[in-house]
Amino acid sequence: GENVEQHPSTLSVQEGDSAVIKCTYSDSASNYFPWYKQELGKRPQLIIDIRSNVGEKKDQRIAVTLNKTAKHFSLHITETQPEDSAVYFCAAGDSSASKIIFGSGTRLSIRP
Amino acid sequence: NAGVMQNPRHLVRRRGQEARLRCSPMKGHSHVYWYRQLPEEGLKFMVYLQKENIIDESGMPKERFSAEFPKEGPSILRIQQVVRGDSAAYFCASTQGALSYNEQFFGPGTRLTVL
């Protein structure tokens, strides 16, 4: 089955700097890669997703890149702000799958 | 996505008791997923259901855990004879259709504490 690894587990960046979170997956059939943000005590919420027919997707300060050959994908947050502090989860699934598999999460802290 | 409802939000049980967790998907959604999240850990898939059908239960422990999504009413995750290791946050999520083409909306979670 699919296995998703996520790094780093914790990340602290200065406000205004960029943050990068990386994930690798094992199943070459995976073609759907969502990213979720979970604030303390809250539910996970989708922030961006990418499908394997594109290599990069951007939404304002957030971008995701995908390298299918290497089986890794990354989340990039630019001009970080205090409200970006949260736990971020990557996930992977394929169109025929009944589930997506989550990475272990990255706790992002933004230093003022 | 306030439409996915879970109750109770907090549940305390003693070892050996039963826990019943309820999930009402968003209106128009017929696909429900249950996840378990241990403190400081990620979301572990448990089970995927459609109305009256269990589609994938590969993440469910073999014993004590069961799930259903009846034709009418919420989806239920049932844990029998709870043990301390069952203490976790249990999230359900729903989609309108196939997962990889539809956003998965999460409920607020049920935090189960086993004493």
Side-chain angles (χ1 to χ4, degrees):
Chain A
E2 176 65 277
N3 182 50
V4 178
E5 298 203 353
Q6 183 171 349
H7 300 280
S9 57
T10 59
L11 179 61
S12 178
V13 301
Q14 193 75 34
E15 183 178 351
D17 287 352
S18 295
V20 180
I21 301 170
K22 298 182 179 182
C23 290
T24 59
Y25 61 99
S26 60
D27 189 348
S28 56
S30 289
N31 59 4
Y32 174 59
F33 307 93
W35 286 87
Y36 288 82
K37 176 183 180 182
Q38 186 178 27
E39 297 177 3
L40 187 63
K42 302 285 184 63
R43 73 189 78 190
Q45 292 192 299
L46 181 72
I47 55 172
I48 194 168
D49 58 17
I50 190 169
R51 292 181 171 82
S52 60
N53 56 340
V54 296
E56 184 174 357
K57 184 177 179 180
K58 193 172 182 180
D59 182 3
Q60 300 183 335
R61 296 186 296 107
I62 294 173
V64 57
T65 59
L66 171 65
N67 182 329
K68 284 222 75 179
T69 303
K71 291 189 208 164
H72 65 69
F73 55 114
S74 301
L75 178 72
H76 304 251
I77 306 174
T78 58
E79 301 172 18
T80 53
Q81 300 169 5
E83 54 264 36
D84 294 330
S85 294
V87 179
Y88 291 81
F89 293 98
C90 62
D94 72 76
S95 55
S96 63
S98 56
K99 58 184 179 285
I100 53 174
I101 302 300
F102 284 82
S104 54
T106 296
R107 182 174 299 279
L108 175 63
S109 301
I110 307 301
R111 302 191 304 270
Chain B
N1 63 358
V4 180
M5 307 292 288
Q6 285 186 254
N7 68 81
R9 295 291 307 278
H10 301 273
L11 182 60
V12 179
R13 284 288 179 265
R14 297 191 180 278
R15 281 179 297 170
Q17 291 184 319
E18 178 179 286
R20 279 183 177 244
L21 288 61
R22 296 174 187 78
C23 170
S24 297
M26 283 185 72
K27 187 176 181 181
H29 287 194
S30 58
H31 301 238
V32 168
Y33 309 79
W34 284 94
Y35 296 88
R36 177 164 62 179
Q37 186 175 38
L38 295 170
E40 304 297 318
E41 292 192 13
L43 294 149
K44 300 296 185 186
F45 168 80
M46 299 182 74
V47 62
Y48 161 44
L49 311 101
Q50 294 180 23
K51 285 284 188 181
E52 299 185 280
N53 283 303
I54 297 174
I55 308 301
D56 184 337
E57 56 182 347
S58 57
M60 288 277 272
K62 292 288 185 285
E63 297 177 350
R64 302 189 297 108
F65 285 72
S66 62
E68 63 177 9
F69 190 14
K71 187 177 181 180
E72 301 291 337
S75 175
I76 306 286
L77 179 67
R78 182 182 178 205
I79 311 173
Q80 295 178 290
Q81 299 174 343
V82 296
V83 301
R84 289 215 173 107
D86 296 333
S87 294
Y90 292 83
F91 288 94
C92 79
S94 71
T95 59
Q96 187 175 40
L99 178 57
S100 50
Y101 298 102
N102 291 272
E103 181 177 346
Q104 191 176 58
F105 291 91
F106 281 83
T110 293
R111 279 151 184 83
L112 173 65
T113 302
V114 180
L115 302 177

